[in-house]
Amino acid sequence: MEEPSRRNILLAGGVLGALGAMSAATPAQASRLWTWSPAGSVVGAGAGADPRWVWDAEADPLVASLIDSGAVPQVNKLLKSWTKNGQTLPAGLPADLKAFIEKARQLPAWTDKAKLAKAYTFNQKRGTYLGVSYGFASGMMSTVIPHEARAVYYSQGGADMKDRITKTAKLGYDVGTKNAFEPGGEMIVTCVKTRLAHAGVRHLLPQSAVWNKVADEEIPISQADMMVTWHSLPTTVMQQLAKWKVSVPADESAAFLHSWQLTAHMLGILDEYIPASWDEANAQAAQVLTPILAATPEGIKLADILLNLGAVLDAGLLTTHILGALTRYVLGDEIAGWLKIPREPVWDAAFRELWPIFVAVKEGLLKITDAPPALLGVYWAFDEILRLGALLFLSGADFPISIQIPVANNPK
Ligand code: HEM
């Protein structure tokens, strides 16, 4: 077994959060009408087209042509050296790709730098809870988003989950950094590269016989799918913090939303689908996310891999039993049942009864001497979970990671 290291621990947390960031759709969704109005978006207007039938009109044909002409390996090699937002692009890129990236890397007019600075403060203050939420709420939720689970399972990265998780965790880390969207930061690069990777998946997955057999769509990663996954991240995380009674001042909450609105834009989500406020976000999530959650064989397998990987990478301090119970606590009995996560009489009760008290103690709302004595028995485990989350979220990846355009599907 590998030695426990900072890298491994990062991966352990990343395991779960990372998967949260890759997604797709379901039959339930297919039958629903899109009624969310672009009036509630960051730009307050739009055509209002059903996002299930909208993909990425600029990136998709371009990346398809790069894949078909065999240019991708060379492009990936060149793009490895592009790491900072403000950096000049490497020489030698095809002219159409260069033009695309130059446009795609521009921040929208509605960028609010003061909010971004505030978002960093929030990330610093709340990194511990954010890490746990990205990991166990968003990450595990991704396994019950059918389009996402299938896309992840059958695309190139599905053959090496650890590598894929490392790459996806980079986005979760970058969004919380100080200069995320500044010239010295890396979030714009990460988003634009992810946008290219998604365009590659849209071209390649339809050529996969196994994906075609199980998928209920012809082209993956629609704008609707993107918003589903987006909600599994910031919207779900905020809902968790509220559930745990973590106090978040209104300006910090709005700032956190803003950093994710920009992320959505830079990933190629059209402005008219990006909610302007938490109220709009919650309304949209109720329409696009909650009704489509469902079990798939692919998602069940992914959840199993994630829980086991998480426990192993934590060097055995946190067991699969504890992580399974945390997942049940965070996502509820129904989803835990779909994922075939066994009931854990001791740990299920511990999370249900003691986690809110633990958070209250951490938040200084309750003295530990006034907490039930049972809390002391699980305090170490709860603290370890927060530590893992903090490491994931605040430490970042200190090894070169380059998100790449895929050239094939999962060969397995
Ligand atoms: C790749 C983030 C939505 C499917 C990635 C990567 C990131 C990422 C960072 C690069 C990791 C890698 O190369 O392995 C996000 C975020 C999303 C989102 C933040 C929404 C806010 C989606 C959706 C789907 C999806 C909706 C599918 C329905 C995939 C797949 C890959 C990928 C299949 C891997 C490509 C490969 O095999 O190389 N995503 N994603 N993602 N994403 Fe997403």
Side-chain angles (χ1 to χ4, degrees), residues 134-400:
Y134 280 134
F136 288 88
S138 313
M140 292 305 290
M141 184 179 276
S142 75
T143 67
V144 287
I145 298 175
H147 284 181
E148 173 162 4
R150 292 187 197 115
V152 167
Y153 200 82
Y154 295 112
S155 66
Q156 189 171 0
D160 184 349
M161 290 304 293
K162 211 167 149 182
D163 177 66
R164 158 170 247 151
I165 283 156
T166 313
K167 289 179 177 158
T168 313
K170 178 166 172 53
L171 188 141
Y173 168 70
D174 286 349
V175 70
T177 54
K178 189 166 185 197
N179 297 320
F181 295 94
E182 296 287 332
E186 301 194 358
M187 185 60 177
I188 294 178
V189 177
T190 297
C191 287
V192 173
K193 286 187 180 176
T194 301
R195 189 172 167 189
L196 293 170
H198 286 157
V201 173
R202 291 192 193 99
H203 184 58
L204 292 167
L205 263 190
Q207 299 171 33
S208 156
V210 268
W211 180 79
N212 269 305
K213 217 165 128 189
V214 294
D216 60 354
E217 57 186 352
E218 283 176 17
I219 304 171
I221 323 188
S222 66
Q223 294 271 323
D225 290 333
M226 288 297 289
M227 283 316 301
V228 168
T229 296
W230 188 89
H231 285 299
S232 76
L233 288 153
T235 315
T236 303
V237 162
M238 260 313 176
Q239 287 167 355
Q240 288 299 323
L241 295 194
K243 193 167 119 188
W244 299 345
K245 300 199 169 46
V246 175
S247 125
V248 182
D251 58 344
E252 290 183 16
S253 163
F256 177 66
L257 174 64
H258 189 66
S259 68
W260 274 98
Q261 287 166 328
L262 269 192
T263 299
H265 177 96
M266 300 313 286
L267 284 169
I269 298 178
L270 298 179
D271 286 351
E272 70 167 277
Y273 300 125
I274 305 174
S277 64
W278 282 120
D279 281 350
E280 288 293 347
N282 288 325
Q284 197 191 68
Q287 186 173 1
V288 299
L289 174 67
T290 317
I292 62 97
L293 297 176
T296 56
E298 293 82 3
I300 293 169
K301 282 183 226 162
L302 288 173
D304 189 54
I305 294 172
L306 295 183
L307 285 178
N308 284 298
L309 207 50
V312 168
L313 294 179
D314 187 50
L317 285 175
L318 294 176
T319 65
T320 307
H321 302 280
I322 300 178
L323 299 182
L326 173 59
T327 305
R328 177 178 296 278
Y329 170 61
V330 167
L331 293 183
D333 281 339
E334 188 182 24
I335 292 181
W338 291 346
L339 293 174
K340 302 193 190 304
I341 293 174
R343 289 197 182 265
E344 302 287 346
V346 174
W347 286 106
D348 288 346
F351 279 105
R352 209 173 43 241
E353 310 296 335
L354 300 172
W355 180 268
I357 300 173
F358 168 74
V359 173
V361 170
K362 285 272 159 197
E363 290 291 291
L365 301 172
L366 182 75
K367 282 196 213 139
I368 185 119
T369 43
D370 292 338
L375 182 65
L376 293 178
V378 295
Y379 204 93
W380 66 270
F382 287 178
D383 239 3
E384 183 64 13
I385 286 166
L386 286 188
R387 194 182 67 82
L388 200 71
L391 272 175
L392 158 73
F393 196 67
L394 299 176
S395 310
D398 56 355
F399 40 99

Side-chain angles (χ1 to χ4, degrees), residues 64-75:
S65 76
L66 292 174
I67 293 174
D68 290 344
S69 69
V72 169
Q74 176 65 7
V75 161

